[in-house]
Amino acid sequence: MANLNIDSVKERTFDAIVIGSGISGGWAAKELTGKGLKTLVLERGRDVKHGIDYPTTNMYPWEFKHRNEMPLSVREENPIVSRCYAFHEDAAHFFVKDKEHPYIQEKPFDWIRGYQVGGKSLLWARQTQRWSDFDFEGPARDGFAVDWPIRYADIAPWYSYVEKFAGISGNKDGIAELPDGEFLPGFPLNTVEKYFSDHVKKAYSNRHVISARCAHLSKPEPIHFEQGRVQCQNRVLCQRGCPFGGYFSSNASTIPWAMKSGNMTLRPFSVVQSIIYDENKGKATGVRVIDTNTKEVIEYYARIIFVNAAALNTNMILLNSTSNRFPNGLGNDSGVLGKYVAFHLYTATVNADVDGYTEFKTEGRNPAGGGYIPRFRNVYKQETDFLRGYAAGLGAYRSTHTDSSGVGSKLKDSLANPQLGGWRVGSHMMGETIPKESNYVKLDKDQKDQWGMPLLRISVDYDDNDRKMTNDYLEQVGEMFETAGFKNIRKEITQGKAPGLDIHEMGGARMGHDPKTSILNKWNQVHTCNNVFVTDGACMTSTACQNPSLTYMAFTARSVDYAVSEMKKGNL
C-alpha cells in the first residue's frame, strides 16, 4: 500500500501547474512546456479540440433551428448571458449559463464566462493594442491605484515575442500613445473610413483614425503554418471557432503547441478548490481540485503554479486558499486581494448618415471590424474634469433596403436582391475606469455552489468619473462627425447596461512595488509566496483603454521566462 501511495503521489506531481486554459493559461502552458517543464493544465470545463469541437462552424443560416436567434425560453432562463452580443444559437454552447454557475450581485454586474478548454479565447473580439508609458505611468501621474512596478520598456520585447507567434495584423502608424508592433499586413479601411481618417488628420493635431489591429492572419508566416493555421478567410464567424485557425485562440495555437511538446498533461472537468500552502516550507506545494463530474477531491503537486483562471475566478481561488499563514487568502497580508476591480466603459455610441460615395461599395468582410481611434484625451496633460481617457471603434457601411411588398415571384426576387442604400458610420466608446477599493469581489460566507465552492459576491459600479468621460466621448466624437460633414448624428448612452458586459474585468490581485498595497511584484509573482504567479486579468493595476488580452499574453511569456530562470538558479 505504501508503494501504491508513493506511486500515486508521483503520478500527481509535475514541474508546473497552470490553472486555466484560456488566453493567458494557454500561453503559460506553451512557454512552460517549451522550456522542458512537465506541466499540468487544469480546466474546469470540458475539452474543446481545435477543428473537431466546433459544431456550428460550417453551418448555413437556414440550418439553425431558430435562424441563429435564441428562443425566448432560453433568454428568460438566462437573462445575464443573453445580454452578451455573441450569445446566439451558433455559439451558445461556449457560454456559461446563468444557473449552472451562480454568483451574487451586490450591484448589477453581468459576468460573462466561457468554461471550456480555450476559455473565452474562442469568443474574444480579437482586438490587440499595445500599452504605452502613458498607460503604465498613469496611476503614478494621476494619483490613483498604485504605481505599476514596470514600464513599457520592460514589456515591449514580450509584446513582440507574442505578436510574432499569435499573428497580429496592423499598420505601422507611428503613434506614441499606441506603440507599433510586429505586424502582419493590416486590413484596409473602406472608402468612408479612409475619408474620415484623412479628415481627422487634417482637422486635429493629436487625433488619429487607423485600421484596427487584430489577431487575424492576414498573411501567415511560416510559424503560423507550423501551428497548422492558415490565412483568415474573412468569414467573420469567429465565435463559432475557426477551423482554419485564422484568428488566434488557445485551441488553435498555444494548447496544441504545448501538447505536441510531450510535456503537457491536460485535465478538463477540474474545479480548482484552492492552492495548497506548506507552512514549513513557506511556499505553495500544489493545487486541490474537485472533479466536476465525480466531485472527488484530488491533490496535484508542483514546484511552481501559474494562476490563469480569468480575473474574477483567479480572485476566488486565491481568496479560498486559506491557511494559518494566510487566513484571508493566499498572499493577502495587505488585505487588498479582491479589491480595486475595474473594467472598461462600453457605455455610449455615436452614429450618423453619410452623404455621397454611393459609387463605392464594400466587397467581402473586414475581420478587424474597421477603424480604431486611439486615446486622445489627457495623454500629455490633464485637460478635462475626469481622469484618464477613452479609445473608440469606428465602422462605416452601406445600408440595404429590401422591398417586402408584393407577392409570389416579385416578392421572392425582392428578398433575394436587397438594394444598397446610403452610407452609415458608427462609433463605440472604450473607456478606462479607475480601480477603487469600493469595487470588489469577496467570498460569501454561507452560500456555495454544487462543488462546495463559496459563491463569489461582486460589488462593482460606475462612478462620476465614468459619467463625465462618457459625456465627453459623446461631445468629442459627435464634433468629429459633424466637422466631417456627417448628417443626422445620433449620440446615445446605452441605458441599463451594467458593468461586466465589456468582458474586460480586471484587478483584485494587482501588481505593485509594495507588499503592503499590492499582491504581486513586477514579475507577477505573489509577494509573500514566490512560487505562485498570476498573469491573467487579476494582475492588472489599472486598465488603460486598450483591449487587454495582448498584454496578458505578454505578461505571461515574460513571467514564465523569469520563473524558469529562477528555478534553474535554485531560487524556486
Side-chain angles (χ1 to χ4, degrees):
M1 183 62 73
N3 285 337
L4 285 176
N5 287 337
I6 291 171
D7 289 345
S8 175
V9 170
K10 187 176 180 181
E11 289 174 357
R12 290 180 282 117
T13 300
F14 299 82
D15 298 320
I17 293 174
V18 178
I19 304 172
S21 62
I23 212 155
S24 65
W27 267 97
K30 171 191 171 292
E31 295 301 301
L32 289 164
T33 56
K35 295 178 184 298
L37 272 64
K38 296 294 183 184
T39 302
L40 173 66
V41 177
L42 298 167
E43 166 55 51
R44 67 181 293 155
R46 63 188 173 95
D47 194 7
V48 172
K49 288 189 167 24
H50 175 60
I52 297 173
D53 295 321
Y54 305 152
T56 62
T57 190
N58 289 320
M59 288 177 63
Y60 290 104
W62 55 86
E63 293 181 296
F64 290 96
K65 186 176 180 181
H66 303 97
R67 300 298 186 265
N68 206 28
E69 296 298 323
M70 297 304 294
L72 178 61
S73 59
V74 176
R75 286 186 276 129
E76 288 179 339
E77 190 173 350
N78 299 278
I80 296 171
V81 68
S82 292
R83 286 191 278 271
C84 178
Y85 70 95
F87 186 69
H88 295 288
E89 226 173 356
D90 62 348
H93 46 284
F94 291 144
F95 286 91
V96 166
K97 310 305 182 295
D98 295 0
K99 289 185 177 179
E100 295 172 356
H101 300 272
Y103 63 99
I104 299 168
Q105 302 178 62
E106 293 189 359
K107 298 173 182 176
F109 186 90
D110 292 330
W111 191 13
I112 307 300
R113 293 158 288 172
Y115 290 165
Q116 60 263 324
V117 169
K120 290 178 291 187
S121 77
L122 286 165
L123 300 164
W124 67 312
R126 308 164 308 283
Q127 300 293 303
T128 41
Q129 308 99 19
R130 291 187 178 199
W131 283 34
S132 73
D133 271 336
F134 295 106
D135 305 301
F136 287 111
E137 295 175 357
R141 188 191 78 169
D142 295 342
F144 66 92
V146 294
D147 186 21
W148 277 91
I150 67 165
R151 291 295 184 262
Y152 178 68
D154 298 305
I155 196 77
W158 297 100
Y159 275 133
S160 295
Y161 181 78
V162 300
E163 285 166 345
K164 290 175 183 174
F165 189 84
I168 307 298
S169 67
N171 298 315
K172 302 279 190 183
D173 299 300
I175 302 170
E177 54 270 35
L178 197 75
D180 292 330
E182 309 292 336
F183 295 141
L184 305 174
F187 291 91
L189 300 175
N190 65 35
T191 297
V192 170
E193 292 162 353
K194 182 69 168 57
Y195 159 73
F196 187 59
S197 175
D198 292 341
H199 164 73
V200 169
K201 188 174 183 179
K202 293 175 184 174
Y204 300 90
S205 61
N206 65 336
R207 303 185 187 187
H208 311 273
V209 179
I210 63 173
S211 292
R213 300 168 180 177
C214 65
H216 284 256
L217 300 181
S218 57
K219 186 178 180 182
E221 298 284 346
I223 186 62
H224 306 122
F225 293 127
E226 197 175 341
Q227 296 169 42
R229 302 168 59 199
V230 298
Q231 185 169 332
C232 172
Q233 306 295 299
N234 297 21
R235 302 190 322 153
V236 197
L237 299 173
C238 314
Q239 71 281 0
R240 301 181 183 183
C242 180
F244 304 97
Y247 74 91
F248 174 84
S249 69
S250 298
N251 309 69
S253 179
T254 48
I255 292 294
W257 191 273
M259 186 64 82
K260 76 177 183 180
S261 73
N263 291 324
M264 186 178 87
T265 300
L266 176 65
R267 192 185 198 285
F269 302 114
S270 301
V271 172
V272 172
Q273 192 261 357
S274 60
I275 295 168
I276 303 166
Y277 182 79
D278 188 309
E279 315 244 346
N280 295 321
K281 295 179 179 177
K283 63 180 182 181
T285 54
V287 168
R288 192 169 292 111
V289 166
I290 306 166
D291 187 288
T292 58
N293 296 317
T294 66
K295 310 284 175 62
E296 180 186 7
V297 178
I298 311 167
E299 293 184 350
Y300 294 93
Y301 309 102
R303 289 176 62 188
I304 59 172
I305 298 164
F306 271 72
V307 192
N308 301 86
L312 299 190
N313 279 313
T314 287
N315 275 277
M316 185 162 59
I317 291 168
L318 294 175
L319 286 165
N320 204 44
S321 300
T322 57
S323 60
N324 290 331
R325 169 66 183 86
F326 296 112
N328 299 313
L330 186 73
N332 193 23
D333 291 349
S334 62
V336 301
L337 181 61
K339 299 177 181 176
Y340 301 96
V341 172
F343 56 100
H344 278 156
L345 288 176
Y346 280 65
T347 46
T349 59
V350 180
N351 294 281
D353 299 330
V354 182
D355 286 344
Y357 301 100
T358 51
E359 69 272 34
F360 297 102
K361 63 179 181 179
T362 56
E363 294 288 346
R365 307 174 185 90
N366 182 351
Y372 180 83
I373 305 173
R375 175 185 161 203
F376 56 85
R377 285 302 232 182
N378 303 327
V379 177
Y380 290 92
K381 63 179 181 179
Q382 183 65 37
E383 57 190 358
T384 69
D385 62 349
F386 60 86
L387 292 178
R388 311 304 296 159
Y390 50 82
L394 180 98
Y397 61 95
R398 291 288 297 272
S399 61
T400 57
H401 170 69
T402 301
D403 182 3
S404 58
S405 63
V407 294
S409 60
K410 180 184 177 184
L411 175 60
K412 288 172 65 177
D413 186 60
S414 296
L415 294 175
N417 297 282
Q419 301 300 303
L420 283 175
W423 282 90
R424 293 175 179 169
V425 63
S427 167
H428 64 275
M429 173 192 187
M430 297 177 285
E432 176 173 357
T433 65
I434 303 301
K436 302 182 294 291
E437 188 172 13
S438 57
N439 279 348
Y440 63 84
V441 297
K442 64 181 182 180
L443 303 182
D444 190 83
K445 295 179 180 177
D446 303 311
Q447 300 182 69
K448 297 183 178 180
D449 66 15
Q450 60 176 304
W451 298 282
M453 289 289 289
L455 296 192
L456 193 67
R457 303 185 71 91
I458 302 177
S459 182
V460 174
D461 204 353
Y462 300 116
D463 64 15
D464 193 47
N465 198 72
D466 302 333
R467 284 181 276 274
K468 289 177 178 175
M469 186 184 295
T470 299
N471 289 333
D472 190 76
Y473 160 81
L474 292 172
E475 179 180 325
Q476 296 301 316
V477 175
E479 177 198 288
M480 292 161 70
F481 277 19
E482 187 175 355
T483 60
F486 297 158
K487 307 294 185 184
N488 190 24
I489 298 170
R490 304 174 292 280
K491 299 184 282 188
E492 299 179 11
I493 294 176
T494 308
Q495 299 297 324
K497 187 172 186 176
L501 270 186
D502 51 294
I503 324 179
H504 288 175
E505 57 269 14
M506 289 175 256
R510 67 186 182 186
M511 298 169 69
H513 298 283
D514 189 347
K516 295 179 181 176
T517 57
S518 60
I519 301 297
L520 310 172
N521 67 13
K522 65 180 180 179
W523 299 109
N524 296 75
Q525 187 178 27
V526 175
H527 284 298
T528 50
C529 185
N530 66 2
N531 65 333
V532 175
F533 297 80
V534 177
T535 62
D536 63 11
C539 77
M540 302 297 276
T541 305
S542 62
T543 72
C545 57
Q546 292 91 323
N547 295 64
S549 296
L550 181 69
T551 300
Y552 303 164
M553 295 189 244
F555 271 139
T556 303
R558 175 177 180 268
S559 186
V560 168
D561 186 70
Y562 170 77
V564 175
S565 69
E566 289 297 291
M567 290 175 77
K568 291 178 178 176
K569 295 174 187 173
N571 295 333
L572 289 177

